[in-house]
Amino acid sequence: MSGLLDLLSSPMGKQLISGVASQTGQPENKTADVLSMAMPLLLGAMKKNVSSPKGAEGLMNALSSKHDGGLLDNLGGLFGGGVDQSVINDGAGILGHVFGGKQANVENALSQKSGLDAGTVAQILKIAAPLVMAYLGKQKAQSNVNDANGLNSLLGSMLGGQPEQNQSLITTLLDADGDGSVLDDVAGMVMGTSKKKSGLGGLLGGLFGK
């Protein structure tokens, strides 16, 4: 089972980073920074959603139909003439579903840390979301996953490829006060304004190589 960071360091990941960078007109290193934090956050939020039967069913259906992984088979075509608006619209829908009302917080938090403006971060996220879903769809098919438990394990193993600092970062961001609410006070946590000083500055510093 390949973790997400393996994807980003693979030839496909490099193509993905350069494609997203050219689409948004941003340097590849900053684009890679945003993707390396945004993609695990997306998966982590999906893992939270799968804990409810309705969330699990919705994700299973999406991965069995539209998001079966086909998008990854032609990244050259995807980025060749600029990313198709339908893919970006799809990404916006995924983000709204996965992050809910916390989406702006996530964008602002990633903006603070990467130095890119929130609008650009939002653009990167809209392109990244369908690609994360496609990657998940491919892994689901390869692992023969067909129920919520399997999906939960699959997401866990994909996140398991993260270095320890990323793991703690995801856990902390996705449920800052342990109440089960997805991404609560993510902006406060990332920007260091949270009441809980849990060494997140150091974690984020490590994540972004600062």
Side-chain angles (χ1 to χ4, degrees):
M1 173 60 55
S2 46
L4 260 193
L5 290 194
D6 298 335
L7 167 69
L8 282 176
S9 57
S10 70
M12 184 198 285
K14 290 184 170 56
Q15 192 180 4
L16 176 60
I17 290 164
S18 72
V20 174
S22 65
Q23 176 77 17
T24 56
Q26 297 303 323
E28 288 192 15
N29 63 330
K30 283 191 178 286
T31 303
D33 276 354
V34 174
L35 286 172
S36 70
M37 192 157 91
M39 292 170 88
L41 272 175
L42 276 163
L43 273 189
M46 285 176 197
K47 192 169 188 302
K48 280 275 191 191
N49 290 352
V50 168
S51 61
S52 79
K54 188 177 172 205
E57 186 188 352
L59 189 55
M60 284 293 287
N61 290 343
L63 295 174
S64 302
S65 51
K66 186 174 183 180
H67 299 286
D68 59 359
L71 191 63
L72 294 176
D73 295 336
N74 186 15
L75 284 180
L78 175 69
F79 292 119
V83 177
D84 192 75
Q85 189 58 44
S86 65
V87 173
I88 291 172
N89 292 345
D90 185 32
I94 295 166
L95 293 173
H97 187 71
V98 170
F99 289 143
K102 309 293 180 189
Q103 188 176 335
N105 295 6
V106 174
E107 288 163 4
N108 289 330
L110 293 177
S111 165
Q112 285 274 121
K113 280 292 151 191
S114 62
L116 297 178
D117 65 89
T120 302
V121 168
Q123 252 188 305
I124 293 174
L125 285 174
K126 282 176 195 165
I127 302 167
L131 292 165
V132 169
M133 287 285 280
Y135 186 58
L136 184 57
K138 261 196 186 320
Q139 298 286 350
K140 172 189 168 290
Q142 283 167 11
S143 307
N144 244 344
V145 169
N146 50 22
D147 60 23
N149 284 342
L151 198 53
N152 196 34
S153 302
L154 175 65
L155 285 160
S157 61
M158 286 170 72
L159 284 165
Q162 304 291 313
E164 213 167 297
Q165 61 188 24
N166 278 24
Q167 283 280 49
S168 350
L169 174 73
I170 294 160
T171 310
T172 317
L173 287 182
L174 290 181
D175 189 11
D177 54 13
D179 67 351
S181 163
V182 175
L183 292 169
D184 54 4
D185 57 16
V186 65
M189 294 299 298
V190 175
M191 294 174 197
T193 53
S194 166
K195 292 188 285 284
K196 296 186 182 188
K197 296 291 179 192
S198 51
L200 250 189
L203 290 172
L204 285 162
L207 191 59
F208 284 105
K210 288 177 184 164

